[in-house]
Amino acid sequence: IDGYNACVYVDPTPDLLKSLKKRQQEDQKKQALLQELKGKPNTTLDGKTINVFANIGGMSDVGAVQQNDAGGVGLFRTEFVYLNCKDFPTEDYQFEAYKQVVESLAPRKVVVRTCDIGADKTVDYMKLDHEDNPALGYRAIRICLTRKDFFKTQLRALLRASAYGNMSIMFPMITSLRELQDAKAVLEECRAELTAEGVKMGQNIEVGTMIETPAAVLIADELAAECDFFSIGTNDLIGYTMCADRGNDTISNLYQVYYPAVLRSLKNIIESGVKAGIMVGMCGEAAADPLLEPLLISWGLEEFSMSAPSILRARKTISQWTKAECDELAEKALACNTAAEVKALLESAAR
Ligand code: PEP
Ligand code: MG
């Protein structure tokens, strides 16, 4: 299997096998060198600390977080807790699932995303209607805000689990200020209930929002005033900005982070967050793109969250750039007119 080029060879020729083995050995050497970064501070070449975190789907991913020396978790996709159940998971079941994760990673921060069910992630027991365009349909926060009991079950479980570690909470698929305010209001309602019940909770739980829709990009300044942090979800943001489904091979040339429209969106989000004094992170796959990382540093991204195997490589890339060098590259990238031009520029500058 040639994972770099997404190819599987059933009966490779000896020459092909030889070249793939060579590539594998080179990769193993690189991996071995990267191990030396473990335990070291994670900074740019001119000393700015950057968080490199992991994305997880549950307790089974915690080992990889530790093995790859991630500073924390920037995205815990809680919908996997729902996908692993045959019926609605109870508050106690969810409490245990969240508690195990935050407790085993404490004092590291764990950013938990509330349920992002719908579209490509569905469960039969929710009995969601068939939709022609599920990615633009009834999903994520839209479900949570209309099925308040369902949402409250999760939020109560999260607040209870927050007592056992360092938890932040964020909401997916936000498209308006009202949605963010309503989600925060339900969270506060749960907090008040649990306080009245005498349940212990974490003290300083930060509340943030994912920025993964063009609507959120355009009102990023208003959203920033209402939350503690942003986490950019490029997987959805690229798709919704370019109107290109991430799973559709026919138009995959449009599904690229290098398009000027996407780059300008990223800059706008990060700068809006920085201006409002809130932390801006990224948990979409683009955070693990070594070509993009210098631009994100230039604009002020503070937290990069990715699948665990990419962490050490990202730390290496980040350590090779100064802010001034990133700024120079970012300026050139924004002056490009096409995605191909941007990509060629970033490739020529790659370290
Ligand atoms: C994203 O959209 O970038 C993201 C992290 O969320 P998901 O991939 O789970 O939709
Ligand atoms: Mg998403």
Side-chain angles (χ1 to χ4, degrees), residues 231-250:
S231 184
I232 308 173
T234 48
N235 304 343
D236 277 315
L237 184 61
I238 297 170
Y240 290 132
T241 303
M242 297 304 299
C243 301
D245 184 345
R246 58 171 116 164
N248 186 334
D249 286 345
T250 317

Side-chain angles (χ1 to χ4, degrees), residues 35-93:
Q35 301 304 311
E36 291 170 12
L37 293 172
K38 286 187 184 172
K40 301 219 170 109
N42 193 35
T43 60
T44 57
L45 195 53
D46 51 344
K48 182 172 169 26
T49 299
I50 301 278
N51 286 332
V52 184
F53 284 7
N55 293 347
I56 64 168
M59 194 57 202
S60 58
D61 296 328
V62 165
V65 176
Q66 285 154 340
Q67 277 153 27
N68 289 283
D69 197 29
V73 166
L75 169 63
F76 175 3
R77 288 183 163 101
T78 59
E79 51 281 4
F80 286 103
V81 173
Y82 295 80
L83 292 170
N84 290 336
C85 289
K86 289 203 164 45
D87 203 345
F88 290 97
T90 62
E91 181 183 316
D92 282 345
Y93 176 90

Side-chain angles (χ1 to χ4, degrees), residues 154-181:
Q154 175 171 44
L155 294 176
R156 284 179 55 97
L158 285 172
L159 288 169
R160 284 170 56 195
S162 70
Y164 297 85
N166 178 1
M167 180 195 286
S168 299
I169 296 175
M170 66 177 175
F171 307 112
M173 281 294 294
I174 293 289
T175 52
S176 71
L177 188 60
R178 188 62 195 267
E179 281 172 340
L180 175 59
Q181 288 166 337

Side-chain angles (χ1 to χ4, degrees), residues 83-270:
L83 292 170
N84 290 336
C85 289
K86 289 203 164 45
D87 203 345
F88 290 97
T90 62
E91 181 183 316
D92 282 345
Y93 176 90
Q94 292 191 55
F95 163 68
E96 284 301 332
Y98 307 142
K99 173 177 175 258
Q100 272 184 5
V101 171
V102 293
E103 197 169 36
S104 55
L105 287 169
R108 285 182 268 203
K109 182 169 84 171
V110 177
V111 182
V112 183
R113 176 176 74 185
T114 60
C115 183
D116 188 14
I117 218 96
D120 53 342
K121 291 167 255 176
T122 54
V123 286
D124 290 343
Y125 57 81
M126 288 199 74
K127 299 192 170 46
L128 297 172
D129 289 339
H130 168 80
E131 294 176 313
D132 287 342
N133 283 309
L136 301 180
Y138 187 51
R139 57 176 292 199
I141 200 70
R142 299 167 182 189
I143 297 180
C144 290
L145 291 177
T146 50
R147 296 193 184 184
K148 206 167 146 196
D149 287 347
F150 170 80
F151 195 26
K152 281 180 73 175
T153 303
Q154 175 171 44
L155 294 176
R156 284 179 55 97
L158 285 172
L159 288 169
R160 284 170 56 195
S162 70
Y164 297 85
N166 178 1
M167 180 195 286
S168 299
I169 296 175
M170 66 177 175
F171 307 112
M173 281 294 294
I174 293 289
T175 52
S176 71
L177 188 60
R178 188 62 195 267
E179 281 172 340
L180 175 59
Q181 288 166 337
D182 286 351
K184 281 172 58 185
V186 184
L187 182 66
E188 283 321 309
E189 197 178 312
C190 294
R191 205 194 303 261
E193 278 175 17
L194 290 165
T195 306
E197 290 165 30
V199 175
K200 63 175 184 167
M201 289 172 272
Q203 288 305 303
N204 303 306
I205 306 167
E206 297 204 325
V207 180
T209 179
M210 289 201 63
I211 304 285
E212 54 183 342
T213 65
V217 176
L218 293 169
I219 55 163
D221 53 347
E222 290 173 25
L223 295 172
E226 292 271 342
C227 62
D228 300 317
F229 66 93
F230 281 165
S231 184
I232 308 173
T234 48
N235 304 343
D236 277 315
L237 184 61
I238 297 170
Y240 290 132
T241 303
M242 297 304 299
C243 301
D245 184 345
R246 58 171 116 164
N248 186 334
D249 286 345
T250 317
I251 42 120
S252 60
N253 64 318
L254 285 169
Y255 187 88
Q256 284 190 59
V257 74
Y258 309 115
Y259 275 95
V262 180
L263 292 185
R264 287 185 209 177
S265 294
L266 298 180
K267 183 170 185 277
N268 182 52
I269 300 163
I270 300 168

